Each structure stands twice: as C-alpha cells, then as structure tokens.
Amino acid sequence: MTHHDTRSGRCLCGKVTYTFAPAELEIDVCHCGMCRRWGGGPGFSVKASGEAAITGGDYVTLYKSSEWGTRHFCRACGTHLFYSAPVANYFGVSAGTIDDLSGLAVTTEIFIDCKPDAYDITTPTQKLTEAEFLAMIAASGTE
C-alpha cells in the first residue's frame, strides 16, 4: 500500500530544508560498512516517492560512494541528508533529519551479514544479505 503524505526536515544547521512524500511508511536500515562509516551507525532512510523539494540546495554536496549510489550531505554542518541509487529507482531521505517520524516503522534491513554484533534491530524485518541486495540492484539495472 503506497502512502503519499508530505513530510519535512532539515539539516542540523538549518541551511538545508526539504519536503518530500514517502513512497511507503517504511524505514529501511542499511548495515553496510559505507553507511556505518558515513553516519557512525547503520543508515536509516525513508524512500521518497520522487526527489525531495529542497531549499538551500547550494549547501548540498554529493559524494558518489559506489558505482550505483550517491550520498548527499550539508556542506556547512555535515548532516547526511539523502541517499540516491538511480539504478534501483531509490531516493532515500535520512530518517534522522525528518521532523515527524510518526506512523513510520522499520521494515527492511540490508547488508544484514555485515551488521556488527554490537547492536540489533528488535523489530521483525525483511532481511537481505549483501549478495541478495546486490543481485537485486543488478536485476534492476537490466530492466
């Protein structure tokens, strides 16, 4: 079931603000090493139904972290704001930057085989290994 309410958010310093419509009321969690290095822990994101409407876009810096993904962050305060993977039709908003998380729930974990033993998500979720996720990305690129 797709849900298209509008959510807003911002970076830590407030130079970048945005609005977006979640594709679903779901939070995805990524345990890959890049996400953990980028944010100091797993990456929590909400898939947008399209790109976010951004104010202060001059402060958004892009970093292409893999052949299929780009990370977007505020160049003033360093807040990680968005993650995009066009080959998978994914534009994710970092959940911690969203003003109102009500109604959203963690539903999917990826790179589960890369998750360190130091923490656990206790909510029942769909879990994909690195190989399963990369196979899904590869299949997306061929359609």
Side-chain angles (χ1 to χ4, degrees), residues 29-113:
V29 179
C30 182
H31 301 287
C32 79
M34 284 186 280
C35 281
R36 289 186 287 115
R37 285 193 188 281
W38 190 43
F44 288 77
S45 64
V46 175
K47 182 179 181 182
S49 62
E51 290 202 22
I54 300 169
T55 302
D58 290 348
Y59 284 92
V60 177
T61 298
L62 306 181
Y63 174 69
K64 188 156 179 62
S65 58
S66 69
E67 63 187 50
W68 41 266
T70 302
R71 297 165 192 276
H72 310 228
F73 61 94
C74 175
R75 68 178 169 87
C77 66
T79 299
H80 49 108
L81 295 162
F82 314 112
Y83 177 81
S84 59
V87 69
N89 192 32
Y90 191 87
F91 184 88
V93 177
S94 292
T97 66
I98 300 170
D99 294 328
D100 179 11
L101 293 173
S102 63
L104 296 169
V106 172
T107 60
T108 304
E109 296 179 72
I110 62 172
F111 285 78
I112 193 67
D113 51 330

Side-chain angles (χ1 to χ4, degrees), residues 109-132:
E109 296 179 72
I110 62 172
F111 285 78
I112 193 67
D113 51 330
C114 299
K115 183 190 82 57
D117 293 335
Y119 63 85
D120 286 308
I121 305 295
T122 58
T123 306
T125 62
Q126 174 187 16
K127 293 176 172 40
L128 298 172
T129 65
E130 178 179 6
E132 290 167 334

